[in-house]
Amino acid sequence: MWRLNKVRHKAGRPGDSVEELKLKRREHEKALRQARRDRQLVSKRLLLNDDEDQSEVTMDTNSGEQDVVAVLQKLHHSGPERDTHLKALSKALRDPSAQLTFIKQENSMHLLVGLLTGSDATCRLQAVRCLHELSHSPHTSVASACLPASPYLLTYLSGQSTKFTELCLYTLGNLCPDSVVKEKLLAQGIVPALASCLENQRHNLAVVEAVGFTLSQLLQANNAAEKIIPMVLASSLPSHLLSVLTPDPKFGLGPAIECAWCIHYLTCSMKDHRVLLAQGALLQCSSLLVSLGGAVAEGNKEEGMELLICPLLRCVGNLLSSCPLTDLSAQMGDVRIVVALCALLQAFLHTQPALARESAWVLNNLTAHSRALCSALLTLNLVPGLIQLLPFSQGINTMILRVLANIAHNKKDFCVQLAHRGLLSALCATLKMADQEMVTLSMDVLFMLVVSSPQVAEEFVKQGGLSLLEATQYNSEGEIRQRATHLLEHHLLS
């Protein structure tokens, strides 16, 4: 059903075959994206040159510094071989030391910008390849040296070939993390340029993905909330980003992953989400989660799918905090969202526990806001599956217990139904855990169940509840002991 579009992000390095390079590129790209699940990540990307054969890819770059000086001398003289010289320069610039040598040469950047803005389309493409290699440099001084080219890179986001536009976008994205370059790009209008590019190229998947990458680099800046996000929200970018979050499998995962992370960076950097809610962000993200949850429930766990699920979960969880209760049903669609979240919980419990925890967190936020969704968990018989997760650690069991507490808090009849579905025996086990948070939460849920119905209290006693609470009185301290005493004296022994 779903596929992760192949993106040419990792260029060749000495001594590798083309297939090995492609494999390494995919592994590197996956590692970069996976790292985002637990922390924001600024990463640089290098496009693989499609027109390189194996002999070119494996050329020796150890003499890169000498090559740069020699090629620059040749480029200063006009002639039909400029294209060839520029290709040689882009390969030489893969050597970090050669990148420093290049920016130290007199008029080197002036020459490259001249070729970038010249009338020869082939030379323009090769010149932007050189800039792209420079943008990937580990040396911070190289990014600042590329500043003279930035206004032209922005201008070229409209009306050029796909490959040219991609190179410009990824070059800009690589340069963005540098604070000096970022401020210059903002002043030069990078946000409206990206908005225009995405609007004009919204059917071009490679360009859409590249725009998403570049924007995500901007949104991870330290001052994004104060300076960048207001500019983004005032543009057409949010609506276009949301339109990429489609359940259409033909669209591919790559563009959706990048755009979902952009929406995530927007939601986690601001407290007021009214603009995004008004544009249907919560409905769009939850609808795509429903589609992905359905695919996962059917056993379809394509590579890369979890990299889309993670930002979507975070978007939904964050957006819920700003959604008025009266609008929740309209913003969330139908109850299929809880089915999807439970499916994701079960599917990633062992392989991706962090993702399972994110799913439980969203389920907690939903049930805290909606009685209808609490009722759906009972009606659709999803509660027994949740109860089975209480023995799991890594924060999953505490979040599941909070979900069950939300259900119990809503209605006394819900408490009776929870007891009938086996929650009492599960609480008898969680009350014995060493985790004090789990014991405290278990006591809260038990209290709601016991006071809801005499029959539930009687059933708890039959399951050995009295001796369990008495043991809790003697083996626990402070608040937990007081709660156990209160339950015994006022609701069970009486």
Side-chain angles (χ1 to χ4, degrees):
M1 177 185 174
W2 291 91
R3 75 183 192 281
L4 179 61
N5 276 359
K6 290 179 178 155
V7 209
R8 304 171 302 283
H9 284 161
K10 190 66 178 172
R13 287 292 183 255
D16 296 321
S17 71
V18 173
E19 288 306 313
E20 287 172 341
L21 288 165
K22 288 181 179 178
L23 178 61
K24 286 181 180 180
R25 183 264 301 161
R26 286 193 292 268
E27 290 174 348
H28 178 69
E29 186 64 22
K30 182 180 178 182
L32 287 176
R33 281 173 167 162
Q34 283 179 332
R36 286 175 168 175
R37 287 188 311 218
D38 299 315
R39 62 187 178 88
Q40 293 186 347
L41 175 71
V42 173
S43 59
K44 294 190 176 186
R45 297 194 187 166
L46 196 61
L47 290 184
L48 179 67
N49 295 344
D50 292 336
D51 58 351
E52 290 181 325
D53 59 30
Q54 185 170 341
S55 61
E56 289 177 312
V57 169
T58 59
M59 70 170 288
D60 182 15
T61 58
N62 291 331
S63 60
E65 294 178 64
Q66 293 84 354
D67 290 343
V68 163
V69 176
V71 172
L72 278 174
Q73 290 175 349
K74 295 175 182 177
L75 282 173
H76 276 292
H77 305 287
S78 59
E81 295 184 347
R82 266 191 167 172
D83 177 33
T84 304
H85 297 327
L86 280 168
K87 283 185 178 181
L89 179 61
S90 68
K91 292 182 179 63
L93 288 174
R94 290 176 181 170
D95 180 4
S97 60
Q99 295 161 355
L100 290 176
T101 300
F102 175 83
I103 65 171
K104 291 175 183 176
Q105 299 301 304
E106 187 177 0
N107 292 326
S108 58
M109 190 57 67
H110 178 75
L111 173 63
L112 198 54
V113 171
L115 293 167
L116 176 68
T117 57
S119 58
D120 189 321
T122 305
C123 283
R124 284 203 304 270
L125 181 61
Q126 293 305 326
V128 80
R129 283 192 189 280
C130 293
L131 286 165
H132 185 59
E133 295 287 348
L134 288 168
S135 73
H136 198 260
S137 175
H139 304 295
T140 54
S141 57
V142 176
S144 298
C146 293
L147 268 175
S150 61
Y152 304 104
L153 293 172
L154 291 172
T155 301
Y156 286 148
L157 295 186
S158 58
Q160 300 294 320
S161 68
T162 296
K163 173 53 64 180
F164 193 90
T165 304
E166 267 192 287
L167 281 165
C168 289
L169 283 165
Y170 283 111
T171 301
L172 289 166
N174 289 342
L175 295 173
C176 278
D178 183 274
S179 57
V180 175
V181 176
K182 178 194 67 187
E183 292 301 323
K184 194 74 172 177
L185 288 172
L186 288 171
Q188 291 171 347
I190 187 172
V191 171
L194 290 175
S196 176
C197 182
L198 187 55
E199 183 174 2
N200 296 330
Q201 304 268 4
R202 59 186 178 276
H203 301 299
N204 189 327
L205 300 185
V207 172
V208 169
E209 184 168 1
V211 170
F213 165 74
T214 304
L215 181 59
S216 71
Q217 297 284 83
L218 273 178
L219 292 174
Q220 291 176 82
N222 291 331
N223 64 342
E226 299 79 24
K227 191 165 187 177
I228 301 173
I229 288 179
M231 296 171 66
V232 172
L233 292 177
S235 73
S236 61
L237 277 168
S239 61
H240 290 306
L241 291 170
L242 290 169
S243 70
V244 179
L245 304 183
T246 170
D248 182 1
K250 295 179 181 179
F251 202 79
L253 288 179
I257 288 171
E258 294 300 336
C259 293
W261 281 105
C262 287
I263 299 295
H264 162 62
Y265 294 140
L266 287 173
T267 60
C268 73
S269 300
M270 49 192 279
K271 294 181 180 179
D272 188 350
H273 301 126
R274 283 178 295 181
V275 174
L276 291 173
L277 288 170
Q279 297 188 40
L282 184 53
L283 181 60
Q284 194 78 9
C285 292
S286 59
S287 296
L288 185 50
L289 270 180
V290 167
S291 177
L292 291 168
V296 168
E298 295 172 1
N300 186 347
K301 290 169 69 176
E302 297 266 342
E303 181 183 358
M305 187 181 286
E306 73 277 8
L307 305 177
L308 174 58
I309 292 171
C310 181
L312 289 174
L313 286 169
R314 293 181 180 182
C315 288
V316 171
N318 287 328
L319 288 167
L320 281 171
S321 64
S322 297
C323 183
L325 294 180
T326 53
D327 298 341
L328 186 60
S329 59
Q331 290 278 2
M332 289 302 303
D334 55 37
V335 298
R336 289 180 300 167
I337 183 65
V338 294
V339 179
L341 290 171
C342 289
L344 295 175
L345 251 171
Q346 299 287 351
F348 294 108
L349 185 63
H350 300 288
T351 58
Q352 308 262 5
L355 203 57
R357 187 169 59 248
E358 298 269 6
S359 303
W361 170 66
V362 176
L363 194 58
N364 170 59
N365 286 4
L366 281 172
T367 52
H369 285 82
S370 171
R371 175 178 288 190
L373 294 179
C374 289
S375 177
L377 286 170
L378 291 164
T379 305
L380 299 172
N381 202 31
L382 297 171
V383 166
L386 295 177
I387 292 175
Q388 291 175 6
L389 301 179
L390 290 176
F392 286 87
S393 57
Q394 302 190 55
I396 294 172
N397 52 4
T398 54
M399 202 59 70
I400 294 298
L401 203 47
R402 290 181 188 279
V403 171
L404 297 171
N406 291 338
I407 298 173
H409 180 73
N410 265 283
K411 202 175 180 183
K412 285 188 175 182
D413 181 57
F414 288 177
C415 292
V416 176
Q417 292 187 54
L418 287 171
H420 289 165
R421 283 165 172 77
L423 183 54
L424 284 176
S425 59
L427 290 175
C428 289
T430 56
L431 282 168
K432 300 174 185 176
M433 288 183 173
D435 186 341
Q436 292 301 294
E437 185 181 6
M438 277 296 290
V439 176
T440 302
L441 285 170
S442 298
M443 202 68 75
D444 288 341
V445 177
L446 178 62
F447 176 81
M448 287 186 281
L449 264 60
V450 166
V451 301
S452 69
S453 162
Q455 289 77 20
V456 173
E458 185 179 339
E459 180 60 31
F460 178 66
V461 172
K462 287 181 180 178
Q463 294 186 21
L466 291 180
S467 58
L468 178 61
L469 287 177
E470 288 170 351
T472 303
Q473 277 183 300
Y474 291 104
N475 296 328
S476 301
E477 296 180 359
E479 188 178 357
I480 295 176
R481 174 185 289 181
Q482 292 174 5
R483 293 187 186 196
T485 301
H486 180 81
L487 264 176
L488 282 168
E489 295 180 353
H490 297 278
H491 299 285
L492 293 174
L493 295 177
S494 61

